[in-house]
């Protein structure tokens, strides 16, 4: 069992962050925010996949105004990502943004922050203080390892003081570096000095496999230590992949209220079915947006032979221990019947839906 770090609770629209709430999944749209039709289509797809909070880039007034139209057509809370111009935060809040992300590296003056905080307080809108190793305030940090994570924590702490001086505590913190070890170290340090909830992520993690691995190691390590309240996987690629990866990270740690954790062996010379095909097919079916999943976490084991198969299948909610072109189906720890290899996926999907 993971003991979660105790934090304040912040509300982003209808989603609670920290203070015992489940770890929520975020993503960011990748098209121009001013093109409402495209953004809405992207958000709808992500919603279906399990994205719970969406962030959009606000680079000008037109983008800030578009938030109102986008919000009218989506169901999940929207975060406005603000850099350089504090007035875009004001415009975004007036357009209905549920949360604002500010970067301490480029919105710096007390006066600008005071303007944003004044309206955020009035509208009860939380602010994420989003430190990024690529845009640390002051001189550009080129220090590596522990020193860089220290600089990130210092930047966040100094920035937080400006908000606290204005009696504003509706804060979420992120400390993202492109380096996994630096990111982990920064969050661990920050966890010792504040009780604000954390948004976790590895920034600029790369594409596909590279980004997925870095994110899983970085975000997963912290979550396993109980650190982290909402996560965003950043990939050079489609946002759908970000959401599926985030779901996978949470499922693997037992931190999702629903979802299927697939346990399958690597196969070896003993295996007499095409296990790779079966597992890939099942994974693909379970990942589709319209797949009806049970409302609780499930373990599904698909094992290649009788060496470890019956053991893993017995421990899972549903499992198959394969034999020669067939397998034994296990349900809730008991062997129930033999099934043919070609029926593995169909049978598992049916059983998952019926649980
Ligand atoms: S469960 Fe069987 S097929 Fe799979 S890796 Fe182990 S020994 Fe090989």
């Amino acid at each position: 069992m993971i003991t979660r770090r105790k934090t304040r609770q912040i509300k982003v629209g209808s989603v609670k962050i920290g203070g015992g709430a489940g770890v929520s999944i975020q993503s960011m749209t990748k098209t121009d925010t001013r093109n409402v039709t495209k953004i809405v289509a992207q958000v709808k797809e992500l919603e279906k996949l399990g994205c719970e909070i969406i962030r959009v880039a606000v680079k000008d007034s037109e983008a800030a105004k578009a938030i109102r139209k986008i919000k009218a057509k989506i169901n999940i809370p929207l975060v406005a990502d603000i850099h350089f111009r504090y007035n875009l935060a004001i415009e975004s809040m007036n357009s209905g943004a549920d949360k604002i992300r500010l970067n301490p590296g480029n919105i710096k003056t007390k006066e600008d922050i005071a303007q944003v905080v004044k309206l955020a307080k009035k509208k009860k809108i939380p602010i994420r203080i989003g430190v990024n190793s690529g845009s640390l305030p002051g001189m550009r940090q080129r220090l590596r390892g522990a020193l860089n994570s220290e600089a990130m924590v210092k930047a966040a702490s100094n920035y937080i003081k400006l908000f606290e001086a204005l009696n504003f505590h509706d804060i979420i913190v992120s400390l993202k570096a492109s380096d996994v070890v630096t990111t982990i170290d920064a969050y661990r340090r920050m966890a010792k000095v504040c009780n604000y909830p954390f948004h976790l992520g590895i920034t600029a993690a790369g594409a596909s496999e590279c980004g997925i691995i870095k994110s899983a190691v970085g975000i997963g390590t912290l979550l396993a230590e109980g650190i982290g309240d909402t996560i965003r996987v950043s990939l050079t690629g489609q946002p759908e992949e970000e959401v599926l990866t985030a779901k996978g990270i949470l499922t693997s740690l037992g931190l999702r209220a629903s979802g299927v954790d697939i346990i399958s062996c690597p196969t070896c010379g003993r295996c007499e079915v095409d296990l790779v095909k079966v597992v890939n097919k099942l994974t693909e079916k379970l990942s589709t947006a319209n797949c009806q999943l049970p409302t609780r976490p499930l373990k599904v084991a698909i094992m290649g032979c009788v060496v470890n198969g019956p053991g893993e299948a017995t421990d899972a909610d549903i499992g198959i221990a394969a034999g020669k072109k067939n397998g034994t189906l296990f349900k809730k720890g008991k062997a129930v019947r033999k099934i043919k290899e070609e029926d593995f996926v169909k049978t598992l999907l049916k059983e998952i839906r019926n649980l």
Side-chain angles (χ1 to χ4, degrees), residues 72-190:
K73 293 184 175 156
I74 64 172
N75 301 305
I76 54 176
L78 180 146
V79 184
D81 196 53
I82 309 293
H83 299 271
F84 304 110
R85 291 163 58 191
Y86 81 94
N87 56 314
L88 293 177
I90 307 269
E91 288 186 54
S92 299
M93 286 189 273
N94 282 329
S95 286
D98 298 290
K99 181 176 139 199
I100 297 295
R101 180 269 170 117
L102 295 183
N103 183 341
N106 54 41
I107 295 198
K108 301 178 193 172
T109 72
K110 279 186 188 173
E111 294 74 23
D112 290 355
I113 292 165
Q115 296 287 331
V116 177
V117 165
K118 193 175 162 198
L119 187 60
K121 261 185 176 176
K122 191 173 159 205
K123 289 183 170 283
K124 295 192 178 6
I125 293 174
I127 296 175
R128 169 158 68 96
I129 292 175
V131 173
N132 194 299
S133 63
S135 53
L136 274 178
M139 64 175 239
R140 184 128 182 170
Q141 295 292 329
R142 285 291 171 204
L143 303 168
R144 290 189 170 268
L147 280 174
N148 200 10
S149 64
E150 232 177 276
M152 290 168 73
V153 171
K154 199 169 167 204
S157 301
N158 288 342
Y159 208 58
I160 287 171
K161 279 185 197 144
L162 300 175
F163 290 74
E164 288 177 338
L166 297 164
N167 199 23
F168 187 84
H169 303 275
D170 227 1
I171 293 169
I172 297 163
V173 181
S174 65
L175 303 142
K176 300 185 185 181
S178 52
D179 175 81
V180 175
V181 175
T182 304
T183 305
I184 292 171
D185 196 50
Y187 279 104
R188 280 178 179 157
R189 286 171 188 266
M190 197 76 209

Side-chain angles (χ1 to χ4, degrees), residues 264-272 275 302-310 312 322:
S264 63
C265 76
T267 79
C268 69
R270 292 179 190 275
C271 188
E272 295 182 279
L275 203 79
I302 311 162
M303 300 292 291
C305 80
V306 291
V307 173
N308 297 314
E312 292 291 353

Side-chain angles (χ1 to χ4, degrees), residues 238-256:
Q238 293 309 307
E240 288 80 0
E241 209 181 357
E242 296 185 356
V243 174
L244 294 175
T245 305
K247 274 163 71 173
I249 293 171
L250 295 183
T251 302
S252 72
L253 291 166
L255 286 170
R256 280 193 82 214

